[in-house]
């Protein structure tokens, strides 16, 4: 359904654009007005396509970039970034995981990475809600995380995303 909707929108936009060239001066609508309307329709179409719920690898990559910026903020600001982390869990990280799962399709390795991501998000949420912001040294990696366990979990998010993207 998503690709059919996308094709239909593109068809309508092409049709509207073609009408720009058929207008004559006396048609009551200037070419400029129709071009502006077509541009508006194009941006609406892009919004509709994006809102149609068809996850893409590009969506995953874009959300991944936001996750990286979140980790940098947590590293820098620690506990002061708590509200941002809780907000971005809902609007960035959980949609990232859901899109990963959808994009994975029948790829079992990719599905596994999407499920691992879900676990990291649960651990991140737990670390944030328990205010575990004190600097943390990982027993596994030996790395120091000034943003505490939330920063460590966001690192896991980044690594899992990288592993996922390598599969495509």
């Amino acid at each position: 359904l998503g690709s059919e909707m996308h094709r239909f929108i593109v068809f309508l936009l092409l049709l509207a654009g073609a009408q720009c060239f058929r207008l004559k001066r006396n048609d009551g609508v200037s070419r400029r007005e129709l071009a502006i309307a077509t541009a508006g329709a194009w941006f609406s179409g892009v919004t509709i396509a994006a809102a149609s719920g068809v996850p893409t690898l590009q969506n995953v990559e874009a959300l991944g970039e936001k996750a990286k910026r979140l980790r940098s903020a947590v590293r820098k600001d620690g506990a002061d970034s708590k509200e941002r982390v809780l907000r971005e869990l809902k609007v960035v990280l959980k949609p990232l995981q859901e899109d990963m799962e959808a994009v994975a399709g029948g790829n079992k390795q990719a599905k596994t990475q999407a499920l691992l991501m879900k676990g990291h998000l649960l651990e991140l949420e737990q670390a944030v809600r328990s205010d575990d912001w004190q600097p943390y040294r990982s027993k596994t990696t030996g790395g120091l995380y000034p943003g505490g366990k939330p920063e460590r979990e966001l690192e896991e998010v980044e690594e899992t995303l990288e592993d996922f993207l390598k599969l495509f």
Side-chain angles (χ1 to χ4, degrees), residues 45-67:
V46 168
T47 303
I48 290 168
S52 68
V54 181
T56 65
L57 196 56
Q58 290 78 16
N59 294 357
V60 170
E61 290 169 335
L63 291 169
E65 286 302 315
K66 290 180 180 184

Side-chain angles (χ1 to χ4, degrees), residues 15-77:
L15 187 63
Q19 292 304 312
C20 287
F21 296 106
R22 295 190 63 209
L23 286 178
K24 297 181 179 123
R25 272 213 172 303
N26 299 341
D27 287 339
V29 178
S30 72
R31 287 182 183 180
R32 172 176 274 163
E33 290 170 331
L34 191 54
I36 290 169
T38 302
W42 171 255
F43 289 114
S44 297
V46 168
T47 303
I48 290 168
S52 68
V54 181
T56 65
L57 196 56
Q58 290 78 16
N59 294 357
V60 170
E61 290 169 335
L63 291 169
E65 286 302 315
K66 290 180 180 184
K68 287 180 183 180
R69 288 193 295 272
L70 178 60
R71 179 180 173 213
S72 294
V74 168
R75 183 174 186 82
K76 180 177 165 252
D77 301 328

